[in-house]
Amino acid sequence: MKRTVFLGLFLLSLNALQAEDGYRLWLRYDLIGNKALLQQYRSTLTAVIFPATTPMLAAARQELLTGLRGLLGVTPRSSGTNSTLIVRLQDDPLLGSEGFAIRTTSQKNILLTASTDKGILYGVFRFLRLLQMQEPINRLDITSTPSLPYRILDHWDNLNRRVERGYAGLSLWDWFTLPTYKDQRYTDYARANASIGINGTVLNNVNASPYILTPDWLEKAASLADIFRPYGIRVYLSVRFSSPIDIGGLKTADPLDPAVREWWRKKADEIYRLIPDFGGFLVKANSEGQPGPQNYGRTHADGANMLAEALDPHQGIVIWRAFVYSNETPEDRARQAYTEFKPLDGQFHKNVLVQVKNGPIDFQPREPFHPLFGAMPHTPLLLEVQLTQEYLGFSSHLVYLAPLFEECLDADTHLNGTVSQTIQGIAGVANIGNDRNWCGHIFAQANWYAFGRLAWESGGAAAPYSAAIATEWIKQTFTNKPSVIDSIKQMMMASREITVDYMTPLGLHHIMAYEHHYGPGPWLANATRADWNPVYYHKADTAGIGFDRTTTGSNALEQYAPGARAQWANADSCPDQWLLWWHHVSWNHRMHTGRTLWAELCRKYYAGVDSVRWMQRCWTALRPAIDPERWQQVNMRLAIQEKNAVEWRNACLLYFQTFSRQPLPEAAERPDHTLEYYKQHIIYYAPGTNQ
Amino acid sequence: MKRTVFLGLFLLSLNALQAEDGYRLWLRYDLIGNKALLQQYRSTLTAVIFPATTPMLAAARQELLTGLRGLLGVTPRSSGTNSTLIVRLQDDPLLGSEGFAIRTTSQKNILLTASTDKGILYGVFRFLRLLQMQEPINRLDITSTPSLPYRILDHWDNLNRRVERGYAGLSLWDWFTLPTYKDQRYTDYARANASIGINGTVLNNVNASPYILTPDWLEKAASLADIFRPYGIRVYLSVRFSSPIDIGGLKTADPLDPAVREWWRKKADEIYRLIPDFGGFLVKANSEGQPGPQNYGRTHADGANMLAEALDPHQGIVIWRAFVYSNETPEDRARQAYTEFKPLDGQFHKNVLVQVKNGPIDFQPREPFHPLFGAMPHTPLLLEVQLTQEYLGFSSHLVYLAPLFEECLDADTHLNGTVSQTIQGIAGVANIGNDRNWCGHIFAQANWYAFGRLAWESGGAAAPYSAAIATEWIKQTFTNKPSVIDSIKQMMMASREITVDYMTPLGLHHIMAYEHHYGPGPWLANATRADWNPVYYHKADTAGIGFDRTTTGSNALEQYAPGARAQWANADSCPDQWLLWWHHVSWNHRMHTGRTLWAELCRKYYAGVDSVRWMQRCWTALRPAIDPERWQQVNMRLAIQEKNAVEWRNACLLYFQTFSRQPLPEAAERPDHTLEYYKQHIIYYAPGTNQ
């Protein structure tokens, strides 16, 4: 034993030589530094009994042994009668198809059981998390099942490897060298997802190329599916509704045309021959220029049901996006999805799920929950959130998104409970690319992590989760030292509200610059359609600012249940954070803080910048506690965030000041440029667009 | 000492745990496994005396200590009187501004000297290479100076991070987060270049965006220049000739217009304020749609000289590309650069260099040397070669390019000696991207390595170099085990000829598919211009095949000196490898092997495929000698190469057979598809294009 401990210490010091570039995510498995605890773990885990008879069990077993070897610095024996971890299938209806149990037995063994291979897989990752978080393992009694059956990443990855709204390099999928070249990252991606319970991945952009359904590309997709399968991840594809025309040689894509229906049936059969557990299709139809059933005078339900019938024999599903807004309809864009989809409730085939964004506009720093949640009782819904920070500073800004997701999940629909109670799953628009650290920003990894964890836990009684999940992530990613955890957690938990403050406080939304959505552009007014213009959303004039969505305005409010409406309907009682979303109010409107709207707006923008600087100070203080490479990475990104926050504040306040005609707060930092400068300062070649 | 050795052994075993993903290139610095040699090195290098008073010397010193710590597993003392490595500046005119000397002194010290910081830097890398190659260091007497002053990488990187003809992911330059975020890879890129003597880098594509010259982008370029400066690398930029119009608000870019000249002068001044050692401009003008002086009735010399005058006060240079071919001129494309540039010899300003591709067409698997070499005695020339394998299987094929480069460098111009004797430097179109292993294919790293080494050594007496450079690269990248080195070297040295065989044997050229140039497309005939069509180049008909460039044809031959012409002019004496470049000959033409042309063509295509399979067998046999991760990477790429080689062979032979009307060799492997299949098989979204 002495020799082993000695080796272990060497391992520790040498792991420190490894490049800390963020690649290992939250699956580091470094030797446990706390010697007493290490000794305890070692004596509790002298052996592992884990018969692995399937590829999934083999993957779980390999992960377990890799993890234990790293964390404990020893390889447990493969047989034992006590102090043994026993992993085995054992039928238990309460655990369902994905749950697991981990219990300390009377013989001082640890028993990890599940009814399915997948439950075992998730249980193994859960067990490794216990060790990574340095929790006691001598009296375990854990049972865990997921809240939601569908926990899916949506990759907006184009077939040319550009990622729409991607800020972490190219697509992970090197389509050109697939199916032959199988990058190690594909496996590591699957491991990371399995570790947080993600069980599906849509490989390609919802703005889909029809070529994804050609034989060459299906073979590539099948190659990825083969790699992901042992990790419990099903592959889905986004499809273009006009594919029967584009690649099938048909003259129409009319969903009621028999030849079209036949084409999709045959295509589904072809796919399932290659990918027997294929998940299904994700469809963006009749939205932002994409073709759809309305091109043929048919409804969304007609289109979705045709695909559903093709997939049904294979147990596949159709995920049909509710993110639609017509070029013609002049009404408030916030109303459009509800207007189109609410009447279709009950008309969809049973294997169709409708995917609804968290808010009615488009992934803003803050939006009220989407009115369709709770309003489609006969239609299974998926919640769509965005991990990639299209409107939140890309991967340059530290913004922990779990509080945003949780705000939506916990919102009371006043119809069928909270949003989380109205859905069958969550889809997260991935923030992953081929950057070495996967997400561009080390802290953006936390959004990937939190997404999976929230999808697993959201329905339970232990909410709020955001802070607890942050703790998990920090412990596994950085350190188990309590003071460091606290400090990082404070930064993370504050970060979303800070971003709202320096970008879009008090209910403002969609005032970002055109196309790339990176910096401020509240003055923009000449887009090809009105509702792509910031001025459409803030409606600032000399009388005041804000979008009146009450009965005196667009009345988007009427799409919500009375109980939900009540909180927002009156400008005087509406919480400050939602005010300008629902109301157009005067610059001197009295806020709940007692300040005028203008004064509060100034306070928020200044507080946003000050708080970024506070994050910088926190991070500087953490320098001794973090490895130099990752510390430096984050430090440089915080410098970008600070610069951008100042630009946001100055540009927005100088612009809104032209309407409010009131001064900036005395003694506050003066803008270092004129409004004209900000208007002229164009960002060329921002990532995430098709430039 | 005992303890140190022990630690050293642990270091070795733990380095094996490091992910062998190719990131470390040829700068691995792993502990030397040969114990006797390690002991010898340690006793010869007990101390290092290296005063470092400048950033460049500090970088060199840090590299030296990092290298020694890794290779020897110990840190040498910083003082000593014998067994000491002494590094110091010492004026020696023979070493010039970049050379160095390394000598064992009578006191059994090693003295590394140079006249400049840069010489020291190169000397340090040379010394580390000695250790990495496990050469004796007890009686050193090395003096080294570069053959050519300009050793430059040209990045065809667009500002949106797409790399034109790039097959290793996105551009290394993450422009969006520059200048604030300084990726560690920027430094590692500079180290790798410095280690092989590369002293310049053109950051952006020759098809240049004008925005590169806006203040934001110059600041980004300056940030990179700051990182590269201690490694002796000067930054150059590609510029768009119409920039004064595009971003300067002028109405013209006429090089004789005073306002235009003034605009460039001011722009140069602005650049040098940010980058005091800025290298200069690279220009692609009046070629493939790029604007240039001819738009205003001026000559290439007029355009180049205007820029040269703007840069001259700052000691900057203009690199003007000779790769031009007009849309209008109907003559043989191979003739055009010579026709345009030869008459301009003597008209360029002294700080203009004309950059000429190795062959007269465009980076084919084999081309004769460009007729401009030796033909411009009054104009300094740069040779442009392509490391990225646009026409050589991208980064999917193992093709060691040094023999191709060397074939050109050693070609006798019959005017002023060999090509290497007619040039001032070499520019290599980079094959580097943000893929973890830098180049996509581990073996593509060898082309980067060999480029730098050839540029340093090309003029010397020790040619041929390709094999020696391969040995260097293998020893530093893989192993010092002789049998393994031999085996890998055999693969590398054969690989270029193998590729010629399965793609374009016997002088064939440019028969690749449109746009991406990846697979075969000899049947293609409907491009927007004649000389983008494969049929233009092979001219196959029932009478025969090949491009008659002799006096009976385009007479491109006349652009060469008589001595050069003589080897190619006659179809009967022309070496087989050049035959179809120069001559249109009958299918039954008797080759030097005694076979008919058709039989020889078949033999070559079949040999190409067979030889790829031979490479696969070699690599399989090497499995025990290579770490699993890199072995697997290469193995999967070889599988792609084999598949592609079969496609090339089958498609080309089936197509040419429609003209030759002769059978394929009996008993040979039959094509597994019809010609029609190959014609229909389109590759969508190939990398390297702007799709």
Side-chain angles (χ1 to χ4, degrees), chain A residues 373-432:
Chain A
F373 292 115
M376 304 272 286
H378 307 294
T379 309
L381 299 185
L382 294 182
L383 164 64
E384 178 177 325
V385 296
Q386 196 185 43
L387 314 186
T388 191
Q389 296 165 228
E390 174 179 354
Y391 296 94
L392 286 131
F394 296 5
S395 62
S396 301
H397 293 201
L398 192 168
V399 192
Y400 179 51
L401 295 174
L404 186 163
F405 303 155
E406 193 171 359
E407 183 174 288
C408 175
L409 286 164
D410 290 351
D412 187 351
T413 63
H414 294 270
L415 287 165
N416 290 304
T418 61
V419 168
S420 69
Q421 288 163 332
T422 69
I423 57 176
Q424 295 298 308
I426 314 189
V429 180
N431 61 353
I432 301 163

Side-chain angles (χ1 to χ4, degrees), chain A residues 320-332:
Chain A
W320 195 270
R321 286 176 98 228
F323 179 68
V324 297
Y325 57 101
S326 149
N327 275 312
E328 294 76 30
T329 318
E331 69 168 345
D332 182 359

Side-chain angles (χ1 to χ4, degrees), chain A residues 9-271:
Chain A
L9 291 173
F10 265 104
L11 275 161
L12 178 67
S13 71
L14 283 150
N15 270 320
L17 293 180
Q18 262 193 328
E20 286 291 5
D21 51 22
Y23 182 81
R24 294 190 291 161
L25 295 165
W26 50 86
L27 298 174
R28 297 163 62 81
Y29 304 147
D30 284 344
L31 188 75
I32 287 164
N34 177 332
K35 285 180 199 173
L37 185 70
L38 178 64
Q39 198 45 53
Q40 232 177 69
Y41 279 173
R42 281 178 175 163
S43 57
T44 312
L45 292 167
T46 59
V48 171
I49 298 177
F50 186 168
T53 51
T54 66
M56 193 180 286
L57 290 175
R61 186 173 193 277
Q62 190 187 325
E63 190 74 30
L64 180 64
L65 294 179
T66 303
L68 292 181
R69 257 185 236 120
L71 287 158
L72 309 187
V74 291
T75 302
R77 296 193 306 273
S78 56
S79 66
T81 50
N82 51 29
S83 304
T84 296
L85 172 60
I86 301 162
V87 185
R88 71 166 177 242
L89 288 168
Q90 184 173 302
D91 205 37
D92 180 348
L94 293 178
L95 298 179
S97 63
E98 298 187 295
F100 58 85
I102 309 176
R103 292 195 190 87
T104 303
T105 69
S106 49
Q107 297 83 35
K108 297 290 168 206
N109 290 323
I110 297 172
L111 186 60
L112 194 168
T113 60
S115 302
T116 62
D117 290 4
K118 221 166 156 193
I120 296 286
L121 178 74
Y122 292 141
V124 161
F125 278 109
R126 179 74 182 84
F127 184 75
L128 288 170
R129 190 190 308 144
L130 287 173
L131 305 188
Q132 290 197 91
M133 293 179 65
Q134 306 195 358
E135 293 187 13
I137 59 167
N138 48 346
R139 277 189 293 184
L140 294 172
D141 187 8
I142 296 170
T143 304
S144 184
T145 57
S147 311
L148 300 167
Y150 294 100
R151 305 176 302 277
I152 300 176
L153 281 182
D154 286 5
H155 289 267
W156 285 1
D157 293 15
N158 293 318
L159 304 192
N160 65 358
R161 284 190 85 186
R162 273 267 173 211
V163 182
E164 186 169 331
R165 310 309 177 184
Y167 315 107
L170 285 176
S171 169
L172 264 192
W173 326 133
D174 186 7
W175 290 114
F176 183 68
T177 59
L178 281 168
T180 310
Y181 191 85
K182 299 174 206 309
D183 195 307
Q184 174 61 31
R185 289 192 83 146
Y186 304 152
T187 302
D188 290 334
Y189 163 86
R191 290 173 54 233
N193 280 334
S195 76
I196 50 175
I198 290 171
N199 63 7
T201 180
V202 184
L203 297 178
N204 61 318
N205 191 356
V206 288
N207 294 319
S209 163
Y211 298 117
I212 190 68
L213 293 179
T214 58
D216 276 6
W217 290 87
L218 291 177
E219 214 188 323
K220 296 167 192 284
S223 175
L224 290 175
D226 289 342
I227 295 169
F228 299 162
R229 191 170 295 112
Y231 295 94
I233 297 160
R234 295 176 86 172
V235 158
Y236 299 72
L237 295 176
S238 294
V239 298
R240 186 170 164 88
F241 198 78
S242 57
S243 297
I245 303 170
D246 304 327
I247 62 166
L250 301 189
K251 295 258 182 280
T252 178
D254 181 348
L256 301 192
D257 184 289
V260 173
R261 301 173 81 85
E262 177 65 11
W263 189 88
W264 282 109
R265 259 195 303 275
K266 285 196 168 155
K267 187 52 75 179
D269 296 345
E270 180 188 351
I271 294 171

Side-chain angles (χ1 to χ4, degrees), chain A residues 14 160 162 209 685 691, chain B residues 14 160 162 209 633 685 691:
Chain A
L14 283 150
N160 65 358
R162 273 267 173 211
S209 163
Y685 305 110
Q691 281 189 306
Chain B
L14 283 151
N160 66 358
R162 273 268 173 211
S209 163
Q633 275 196 31
Y685 306 110
Q691 279 189 309

Side-chain angles (χ1 to χ4, degrees), chain B residues 6-70:
Chain B
F6 183 66
L7 175 62
L9 291 173
F10 265 103
L11 275 161
L12 178 67
S13 70
L14 283 151
N15 271 321
L17 293 181
Q18 262 192 328
E20 286 291 6
D21 51 23
Y23 182 82
R24 295 190 291 161
L25 295 165
W26 50 85
L27 298 175
R28 297 163 61 82
Y29 304 146
D30 284 343
L31 188 75
I32 288 165
N34 177 332
K35 285 180 200 172
L37 185 69
L38 177 64
Q39 197 46 53
Q40 231 177 70
Y41 280 174
R42 281 179 176 162
S43 57
T44 314
L45 292 166
T46 59
V48 170
I49 298 177
F50 186 169
T53 52
T54 66
M56 193 180 286
L57 290 176
R61 187 174 193 276
Q62 190 186 324
E63 191 75 28
L64 180 63
L65 294 179
T66 302
L68 292 181
R69 257 184 237 120

Side-chain angles (χ1 to χ4, degrees), chain A residues 1-11 42, chain B residues 6 10:
Chain A
M1 184 54 107
K2 251 209 153 84
R3 192 172 170 281
T4 313
V5 175
F6 182 65
L7 175 62
L9 291 173
F10 265 104
L11 275 161
R42 281 178 175 163
Chain B
F6 183 66
F10 265 103

